């Protein structure tokens, strides 16, 4: 079955499905859906967790062995598979076999970017629809962002004046990750009082000044020297690359969709606006990248994203910042 993020909590209260697919390009909302499923699974006794990353190095036979192996302990297991490109490739046969008769001692969680239409017509997806739950996560429309922000603040016990809400929405420009961070900060500063424009002015940074997001913009703009300096600073400060990696992967997938899909006759500016890219700085960077890069370079960039992800999680001998430096050189090149 298919459901939306707002209905997931109620659905989990009714019981666990053997498999969940969370797909979308909003890292914050995808992460929160996954956290809900993890929490419900742990409460039901699925304490052990095993994670796979479906990049080119993944041996799907290893995944198949995990599903066929009997657990040596009483704890049941959660197996998570991340799909950075939204495609299973060699894993389709394995998942089709698993989904035909899901094990009772395993909860499978698939975490993916937005699926394309071709993938949803495949056998594995149809099996998942009949046995499990798909939660597609869509971006918050620009005209609904203020409402989303207001509801989010209310859920955290924050009260904002109309002017403060407008100022916050303008500065964050639909950036959900930055919005979550700013609301967390404001909850520490508010002292249960109403937040007005002056409080926002003093406490909230413009989201374009977030170093991680600025680095993504520099990478997509092809400004390799400046991007290299930023990578060095972020590395020294102990920044976790996963936050900026989610944004970078999303934008590279957008560029691939533009370059290889049915939208090639469409101008980049029109294409990006239709997909909710309204921030001028981000839109300019994407348009520059669309003119400069070809599909082969973009696929190589996604491969490097997978390497950054693996290195950050300790599955590579090299630093994730090493691969981000390779990324800066790749995205600065011309096709």
């Amino acid at each position: 079955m298919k459901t939306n993020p707002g209905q997931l909590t109620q659905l989990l209260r009714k019981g666990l499905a053997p498999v969940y697919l969370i797909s979308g390009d909003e890292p914050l909302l995808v992460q929160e859906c996954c956290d809900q499923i993890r929490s419900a699974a742990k409460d039901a006794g699925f304490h052990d967790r095993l994670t796979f990353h479906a990049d080119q190095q993944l041996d799907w036979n290893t995944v198949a062995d995990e599903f066929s192996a009997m657990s040596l302990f009483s704890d049941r297991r959660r197996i998570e598979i991340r799909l950075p490109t939204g495609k299973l490739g060699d894993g389709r046969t394995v998942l089709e076999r698993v989904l035909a008769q899901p094990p009772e001692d395993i909860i499978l969680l698939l975490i993916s970017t937005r699926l394309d239409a071709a993938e949803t017509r495949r056998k594995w997806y149809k099996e998942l629809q009949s046995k499990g739950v798909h939660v597609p996560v869509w971006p918050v429309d620009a005209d609904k962002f203020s409402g989303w922000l207001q509801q989010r603040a209310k859920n955290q016990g924050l009260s904002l004046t109309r002017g403060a809400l407008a100022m916050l929405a303008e500065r964050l420009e639909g950036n959900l990750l930055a919005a979550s961070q700013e609301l967390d900060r404001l909850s520490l500063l508010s002292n249960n009082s109403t937040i007005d424009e002056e409080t926002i002015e003093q406490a909230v940074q413009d989201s374009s000044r977030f170093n991680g997001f600025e680095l993504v913009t520099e990478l997509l703009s092809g400004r390799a020297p400046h991007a290299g300096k930023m990578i060095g600073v972020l590395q020294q400060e102990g920044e976790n690359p996963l936050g900026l990696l989610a944004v970078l992967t999303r934008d590279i997938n957008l560029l691939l969709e533009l370059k290889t899909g049915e939208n090639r006759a469409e101008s980049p500016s029109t294409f990006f606006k239709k997909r909710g890219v309204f921030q001028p700085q981000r839109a300019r960077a994407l348009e520059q990248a669309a003119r400069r890069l070809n599909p082969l370079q973009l696929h190589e960039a996604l491969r490097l994203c997978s390497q950054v992800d693996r290195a950050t999680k300790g599955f590579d001998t090299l630093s994730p910042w090493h691969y981000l430096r390779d990324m800066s050189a790749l995205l600065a090149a011309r096709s």
Side-chain angles (χ1 to χ4, degrees):
M1 66 175 294
K2 186 182 290 187
T3 190
N4 62 54
Q7 296 173 324
L8 181 59
T9 301
Q10 184 177 359
L11 194 64
L12 289 169
R13 288 178 184 149
K14 296 179 180 178
L16 285 169
V19 57
Y20 292 88
L21 167 63
I22 312 297
S23 66
D25 299 326
E26 282 291 353
L28 175 69
L29 301 184
V30 168
Q31 180 67 34
E32 290 180 343
C33 288
C34 291
D35 286 344
Q36 287 188 61
I37 294 167
R38 291 175 183 130
S39 178
K42 284 192 286 187
D43 290 345
F46 293 84
H47 297 295
D48 290 347
R49 175 185 174 188
L50 188 62
T51 302
F52 294 98
H53 302 273
D55 53 22
Q56 294 178 346
Q57 285 75 41
L58 177 62
D59 182 357
W60 281 96
N61 291 323
T62 304
V63 179
D65 291 343
E66 288 295 335
F67 278 98
S68 58
M70 294 293 292
S71 177
L72 299 177
F73 306 98
S74 58
D75 282 348
R76 293 175 284 181
R77 294 176 295 159
R78 292 173 285 133
I79 293 181
E80 299 185 8
I81 304 177
R82 292 185 173 271
L83 308 173
T85 65
K87 297 181 184 297
L88 280 169
D90 295 339
R92 290 191 198 112
T93 303
V94 173
L95 274 198
E96 286 169 9
R97 189 163 61 247
V98 168
L99 293 171
Q101 193 170 357
E104 294 183 359
D105 63 341
I106 293 175
I107 294 289
L108 172 61
L109 174 58
L110 300 170
I111 307 166
S112 173
T113 57
R114 182 174 51 183
L115 296 182
D116 61 27
E119 204 67 25
T120 61
R121 292 192 291 268
R122 298 189 185 277
K123 181 180 178 181
W124 75 268
Y125 180 78
K126 294 177 181 178
E127 286 281 3
L128 184 143
Q129 284 274 54
S130 65
K131 303 290 176 56
V133 177
H134 177 201
V135 186
V137 177
W138 300 104
V140 177
D141 293 338
D143 59 346
K144 296 179 181 177
F145 179 64
S146 290
W148 179 89
L149 193 61
Q150 186 174 36
Q151 184 60 49
R152 184 97 178 178
K154 183 178 179 181
N155 292 343
Q156 292 185 225
L158 296 174
S159 175
L160 283 73
T161 65
R162 183 177 297 180
L165 179 64
M167 182 181 292
L168 195 60
E170 180 182 0
R171 292 192 175 192
L172 296 169
E173 294 186 6
N175 190 327
L176 270 59
L177 282 171
S180 177
Q181 293 170 333
E182 293 298 358
L183 289 176
D184 287 343
R185 182 190 303 180
L186 287 169
S187 67
L188 298 174
L189 299 174
S190 65
N191 294 321
N192 297 319
S193 59
T194 298
I195 296 169
D196 56 17
E197 294 94 321
E198 184 178 354
T199 305
I200 300 293
E201 188 66 44
Q202 292 174 352
V204 180
Q205 298 177 347
D206 189 310
S207 64
S208 67
R209 293 168 59 192
F210 275 67
N211 285 339
F213 295 107
E214 187 179 348
L215 174 57
V216 172
T217 299
E218 293 300 290
L219 289 170
L220 292 173
S221 300
R223 293 190 282 265
H226 190 214
K229 291 179 182 178
M230 292 180 64
I231 288 170
V233 171
L234 291 172
Q235 184 176 11
Q236 289 178 354
E237 292 179 347
E239 181 82 9
N240 188 327
L242 290 181
L244 68 91
L245 182 62
V247 178
L248 181 59
T249 304
R250 176 194 64 188
D251 285 351
I252 293 171
N253 277 308
L254 269 179
L255 290 169
L256 263 175
E257 184 183 353
L258 172 65
K259 303 288 279 192
T260 63
E262 299 174 354
N263 315 283
R264 280 177 286 184
E266 205 169 33
S267 71
S269 59
T270 302
F271 172 85
F272 293 128
K273 283 180 181 178
K274 286 183 178 179
R275 280 148 185 81
V277 180
F278 298 109
Q279 304 96 321
Q281 190 176 21
R282 180 182 168 214
R284 282 194 300 272
L286 284 167
E287 288 186 42
Q288 290 172 8
R291 289 192 294 269
R292 192 175 63 253
L293 302 169
N294 61 39
L296 286 177
Q297 291 169 305
L298 294 171
H299 280 294
E300 176 63 15
L302 285 178
R303 187 192 69 78
L304 285 173
C305 285
S306 294
Q307 292 294 104
V308 173
D309 185 71
R310 288 175 60 83
T312 304
K313 294 168 181 173
F315 297 115
D316 198 295
T317 56
L318 295 174
S319 160
W321 305 103
H322 169 88
Y323 293 111
L324 280 170
R325 288 186 177 90
D326 288 348
M327 180 81 72
S328 69
L330 172 67
L331 295 181
R334 292 185 177 274
S335 57

